[in-house]
Amino acid sequence: MRFVYVMDPISRVIPHKDTTFAFQRAAQARGHVALHCEPKDLYVLEGKAFARCRPLRVSEDLPYFDFGDYEDHRLADIDAVFIRKDPPFDQAYLYATLVLENVRGETLIVNDPRGLRDANEKLYAMHFPELTPKTLVTSDRDRIFAFVKDVGGKGVIKPLDGAGGSGVMMLRQDDTNARSIVDTLTGEGSRIAMVQEFLPLVTKGDKRVLLLEGKILGAINRVPRKDDIRSNIHVGGSVEPTEVTPRERQIVATIAPRLLRDGLFFVGLDVIGERLTEVNVTSPTGIQELSHHLGRDVAADVIAWAETKATGFEKR
Ligand SMILES: Nc1ncnc2c1ncn2[C@@H]1O[C@H](COP(=O)(O)OP(=O)(O)O)[C@@H](O)[C@H]1O
Ligand SMILES: [Mg+2]
């Protein structure tokens, strides 16, 4: 099969950490062709979507990547498209999802472009308030201070378009920086931001539960440094093996139908103290760490799934 990966430039890829690399390695081992492009390389000609891309071979050792020459491919002829561009969700990303609408129903797209547009990673969890910590989304600074007081004087504030822990800050009622933090995150009351009750259990970790078509692939736990609340690997969180608890299985069972309806196949839930905080859909990661803990390549499961799923599309 031929798989197109719409992603960042290859210089951004960390071979022994990134989930996209694991997908490409597993797919290559199963005999598939990888075609690499960036969002800007997608185009539409006379109503048909194409990608200008390069065949890519990956290897375990330096230089890790070997590109062939540029080729133009009609996306309807491709078996699957993996959208693996890291956040932020910017205008180039938006246009990429709209171009991909052109091949809806003709090619497997992971994740569904409409689902990607609809699902802000932080706001999506708000469809399930019974599963999340107490949360407020607003630009109103007074409302934020009242909320923090309400939840016991300690909260966490986050930008809606952040990722990797960027801009996530502790918000304490008695902190003389609190007003400045809220001004910064809300653009002085002009932008909505998310405020949550502080979950003390975060010191035990933020669990990443990886899902494939609504089913659990496995989970890893990310424990923050002693001097930070953020557990993200990107900012120094450490990864440890973990199990999925019965309560976390309930969380998955509750949101899985919605994920399936939205075509969100490969998803990473963030769960702190058995409360859902985030639904990562744009380019969730964690497969290499999970594979390491389980002692087998979980990326191969995802590729095997894609092989089967891809055969269900009508090629015009
Ligand atoms: N309500 C909360 N209580 C305590 N810590 C939190 C809370 N929300 C987030 N955090 C910490 O901040 C980190 C980043 O927050 P998250 O919402 O996952 O945003 P990001 O998209 O940046 O990963 C989490 O991994 C966790 O360590
Ligand atoms: Mg997160």
Side-chain angles (χ1 to χ4, degrees):
M1 288 184 166
R2 289 179 304 176
F3 297 158
V4 165
Y5 300 85
V6 184
M7 57 186 286
D8 291 298
I10 217 73
S11 58
R12 296 267 310 269
V13 175
I14 306 171
H16 294 112
K17 283 207 156 49
D18 286 2
T19 292
T20 311
F21 184 84
F23 285 170
Q24 290 166 342
R25 182 174 53 195
Q28 183 173 296
R30 297 172 71 89
H32 306 307
V33 172
L35 297 161
H36 173 278
C37 74
E38 295 176 48
K40 68 171 172 63
D41 301 319
L42 299 176
Y43 63 97
V44 186
L45 178 63
E46 295 181 16
K48 297 184 175 82
F50 292 82
R52 179 150 181 79
C53 38
R54 284 183 294 170
L56 169 67
R57 288 195 62 82
V58 296
S59 60
E60 283 307 309
D61 307 300
L62 276 167
Y64 304 114
F65 308 101
D66 180 28
F67 280 114
D69 292 335
Y70 277 102
E71 301 169 353
D72 290 90
H73 287 278
R74 195 181 154 196
L75 291 175
D77 299 333
I78 293 296
D79 296 286
V81 176
F82 290 90
I83 310 175
R84 293 290 306 171
K85 168 90 182 65
D86 274 343
F89 188 107
D90 55 12
Q91 198 175 49
Y93 193 106
L94 170 68
Y95 290 155
T97 67
L98 291 168
V99 168
L100 290 169
E101 289 297 335
N102 248 277
V103 280
R104 173 173 297 286
E106 294 175 45
T107 299
L108 171 65
I109 309 175
V110 183
N111 286 321
D112 183 89
R114 185 188 294 139
L116 289 174
R117 283 195 300 280
D118 283 353
N120 172 279
E121 313 205 306
K122 300 211 169 50
L123 289 175
Y124 196 80
M126 300 298 99
H127 294 306
F128 307 93
E130 70 283 9
L131 306 180
T132 68
K134 276 194 194 128
T135 303
L136 168 70
V137 179
T138 185
S139 62
D140 183 336
R141 289 170 285 180
D142 290 335
R143 201 180 288 280
I144 292 176
F145 294 119
F147 175 86
V148 171
K149 186 162 173 241
D150 248 28
V151 296
K154 263 179 160 186
V156 172
I157 186 163
K158 346 179 169 180
L160 290 175
D161 60 351
S166 162
V168 176
M169 295 187 215
M170 178 99 190
L171 199 55
R172 276 203 195 86
Q173 210 180 358
D174 56 6
D175 179 358
T176 42
N177 278 327
R179 300 194 69 82
S180 182
I181 290 171
V182 172
D183 282 347
T184 304
L185 274 276
T186 64
E188 306 193 330
S190 67
R191 251 196 331 263
I192 59 171
M194 174 173 282
V195 194
Q196 261 172 2
E197 69 177 296
F198 175 74
L199 300 168
L201 279 173
V202 71
T203 55
K204 301 266 180 264
D206 178 352
K207 202 177 281 190
R208 165 60 55 88
V209 184
L210 286 174
L211 305 181
L212 182 63
E213 205 170 11
K215 297 203 177 65
I216 298 173
L217 284 169
I220 56 170
N221 196 31
R222 296 158 304 167
V223 182
R225 294 160 48 114
K226 289 264 176 295
D227 55 359
D228 202 334
I229 60 161
R230 299 169 305 162
S231 320
N232 307 75
I233 302 170
H234 182 68
V235 294
S238 51
V239 182
E240 55 178 38
T242 190
E243 298 297 322
V244 182
T245 66
R247 172 67 192 146
E248 288 160 350
R249 287 183 189 279
Q250 278 175 6
I251 291 175
V252 172
T254 307
I255 82 166
R258 171 83 195 221
L259 292 174
L260 296 188
R261 208 166 2 116
D262 290 337
L264 298 171
F265 299 122
F266 185 67
V267 171
L269 306 183
D270 284 355
V271 186
I272 304 172
E274 301 190 315
R275 309 273 205 94
L276 178 69
T277 59
E278 215 187 350
V279 181
N280 292 277
V281 298
T282 55
S283 188
T285 190
I287 266 231
Q288 296 217 37
E289 292 83 354
L290 177 63
S291 299
H292 184 69
H293 295 159
L294 297 180
R296 61 180 193 85
D297 185 15
V298 183
D301 297 358
V302 177
I303 298 304
W305 167 87
E307 289 164 7
T308 310
K309 193 90 184 164
T311 57
F313 288 82
E314 290 265 326
K315 298 291 173 201
R316 270 196 256 141

